Amino acid sequence: MPTESANQLCLRGSIYTLIDDPFLQAQEDCAVQYEDGLIIIRDGTIEAVGDYASLRGRLSADCELRHYPDALLLPGFIDAHIHYPQVEIIGSFGAQLLEWLQKYTFPAEANFRDPAHARRIADFFVAELLRNGTTSASVFCTSAPGSVDAIFAAAQQVNMQMLAGKMMMDSHAPANLLDSAQASYDDSKTLIERWHGRGRCLYTISPRFALTSSREQLELAGALLRDYGDVRLQSHISENHAEVARAKELFPERANYTDIYDHYGLLNARAIYGHGIHLSEGELRRFYETGAKIAHCPTSNFFIGSGLFDIARVRDAARPVTVGLGTDVGGGTSFSMLRTMSAAYQMAQLRGISLPAAHLYYLAALGSAQSLGIAGEVGSLQAGYAADVIVLDPRATPLLRLRADVADSLDELLFALMICADDRAVAATYVAGELVYERA
């Protein structure tokens, strides 16, 4: 729970943040670091960031100074794609995507018709995000409207920025999970009016994917996106070869999977699609033209065996599609964005690309913020941004301590932390300037 803080809170330590996209700009123009830095926070917003020596004169008489001399201060991680109703099935054995849905996902999601169950899992989920240093997330709920109420209520308790929406699903799924096209429209509209813009809650229209939506439902999802000009949209695309084939079978009149969403007005700058592993060049071009984004979910892609996302091709400077990073729990195997960054690095290696640390830290914070339409608010440590800050301990385990002792630069330390660390490296998490998690 949030703690009471002085009107001005100051965090001192080694600071690292991205202010631009290192995939497209020179890395030295994108990464900002202060060996002995200071973040001045007032009323939940960052007032200034810089060297301690140059900013110490701005400390007010009421300032509470918290010094982390052996730690790194970074912007909170932002999970661009995660399913909170699937927490209980994380680490389930032996299935690829379509079988996974039938065997594990759908039965788990049916339990969320019980409001008490939804509240219990939502509270656990938010606490687990914060314990892993994740301060914002784009979350899929279930087709039960109460699942949306539960996650937004849990996020509001800690003033966490949360993007979420009711799963729209009226076809090709168990009867106890199906809504109808009109019911999904009506429910979503009611939930938008109830939650969107309330505190730090943002509503996201959420058709699961084309395989479980009728043409009418997709059309009504497009109508919602047009009617509410600042809500977001999230769905899935081209995660698995069998899924792509099934989409073609269900929508033979459309040129490709992307064209299904495009036809119904679901491809624009407020839309983000999970996975996108098997998109053609033409489809990626259409993503770029419309401004639609992709959430890269490497631990899930490895675990479910969906394929190897080609980050270099997707981010090609000739038509760079914006990409964020997602854990995709429970298809993904960890809430930790550090573990997810490690998996993204390994997947790129299998594609013949060695990504520097800056690129991965970008994807996990500023890149995800840009993908979700919340850049300028979160994802970086800059004046005017929400004070969503995490404190990482680069010596949290014996192995990390040994590795940190021989690191000869901050870049090397950050890379080793990304590869070798997990939730144990998160010493503290601040949301809007409030300490909401502190490692025992």
Side-chain angles (χ1 to χ4, degrees), residues 31-338:
V32 174
Q33 58 190 65
Y34 303 99
E35 185 175 349
D36 183 12
L38 188 69
I39 305 171
I40 300 176
I41 300 164
R42 188 180 293 278
D43 298 327
T45 300
I46 296 174
E47 199 171 74
V49 179
D51 286 309
Y52 174 75
S54 61
L55 288 179
R56 61 186 300 180
R58 294 181 58 174
L59 302 188
S60 64
D62 67 353
C63 175
E64 179 183 352
L65 178 61
R66 299 177 188 169
H67 191 192
Y68 296 97
D70 301 314
L72 303 174
L73 305 180
L74 280 78
F77 295 131
I78 299 172
D79 194 328
H81 185 102
I82 186 168
H83 296 255
Y84 100 86
Q86 296 182 24
V87 170
E88 292 175 296
I89 62 168
I90 190 170
S92 296
F93 170 75
Q96 292 205 346
L97 176 63
L98 300 184
E99 182 188 356
W100 172 274
L101 292 174
Q102 295 292 338
K103 188 174 182 180
Y104 300 119
T105 300
F106 292 153
E109 290 186 1
N111 296 327
F112 283 74
R113 291 173 296 173
D114 176 2
H117 178 79
R119 286 193 300 269
R120 180 174 68 86
I121 300 300
D123 288 343
F124 174 88
F125 175 84
V126 167
E128 196 69 5
L129 288 176
L130 298 173
R131 194 174 65 81
N132 282 273
T134 298
T135 54
S136 298
S138 185
V139 180
F140 286 85
C141 302
T142 75
S143 55
S147 68
V148 182
D149 293 327
I151 197 63
F152 278 138
Q156 278 208 322
Q157 291 179 19
V158 289
N159 196 23
M160 181 183 189
Q161 184 160 62
M162 184 69 74
L163 299 86
K166 164 196 154 68
M167 193 80 79
M168 302 174 75
M169 186 166 59
D170 68 349
S171 306
H172 309 295
N176 60 357
L177 285 175
L178 294 179
D179 51 20
S180 67
Q182 189 62 49
S184 69
Y185 175 87
D186 294 341
D187 288 343
S188 298
K189 189 169 185 176
T190 297
L191 290 163
I192 291 169
E193 299 291 345
R194 181 180 303 153
W195 288 108
H196 186 64
R198 179 176 162 185
R200 301 182 73 194
C201 298
L202 297 171
Y203 195 84
T204 303
I205 300 162
S206 304
R208 171 170 244 122
F209 60 171
L211 277 63
T212 53
S213 285
S214 65
R215 290 161 177 76
E216 182 185 3
Q217 187 170 69
L218 293 175
E219 188 171 334
L220 289 175
L224 284 169
L225 195 59
R226 290 190 300 273
D227 291 346
Y228 294 92
D230 61 346
V231 300
R232 280 68 170 169
L233 179 135
Q234 62 184 352
S235 190
H236 300 77
I237 193 168
S238 294
E239 178 179 356
N240 167 282
H241 285 300
E243 169 209 6
V244 175
R246 180 67 172 152
K248 181 63 177 175
E249 180 183 323
L250 291 172
F251 295 87
E253 72 278 13
R254 303 267 56 94
N256 51 50
Y257 202 163
T258 297
D259 188 45
I260 299 170
Y261 295 120
D262 200 5
H263 176 77
Y264 292 103
L266 303 178
L267 216 63
N268 67 20
R270 290 180 283 131
I272 184 167
Y273 286 84
H275 308 291
I277 301 169
H278 307 293
L279 294 172
S280 68
E281 176 56 35
E283 289 175 288
L284 287 171
R285 170 64 61 178
R286 190 60 186 147
F287 265 73
Y288 173 70
E289 291 169 349
T290 61
K293 318 300 195 298
I294 293 174
H296 176 28
C297 304
T299 69
S300 175
N301 300 158
F302 277 136
F303 184 68
I304 299 181
S306 299
L308 303 180
F309 185 77
D310 191 342
I311 187 72
R313 186 172 75 97
V314 174
R315 301 246 54 215
D316 184 342
R319 49 108 192 92
V321 176
T322 302
V323 173
L325 196 64
T327 62
D328 197 30
V329 169
T333 55
S334 174
F335 276 82
S336 172
M337 290 294 277
L338 291 166

Side-chain angles (χ1 to χ4, degrees), residues 332-414:
T333 55
S334 174
F335 276 82
S336 172
M337 290 294 277
L338 291 166
R339 303 303 304 144
T340 305
M341 292 155 66
S342 176
Y345 173 81
Q346 294 169 57
M347 187 171 288
Q349 283 286 84
L350 290 171
R351 287 285 193 179
I353 303 295
S354 297
L355 291 178
H359 293 59
L360 280 306
Y361 283 92
Y362 162 78
L363 289 176
L366 182 57
S368 283
Q370 292 171 341
S371 297
L372 297 172
I374 51 177
E377 304 171 39
V378 293
S380 185
L381 301 179
Q382 300 183 57
Y385 281 60
D388 292 353
V389 184
I390 56 174
V391 182
L392 296 185
D393 177 3
R395 293 174 169 80
T397 68
L399 176 61
L400 287 174
R401 188 178 306 115
L402 183 70
R403 186 64 183 85
D405 286 343
V406 298
D408 61 7
S409 68
L410 180 58
D411 275 350
E412 184 180 348
L413 182 61
L414 285 165

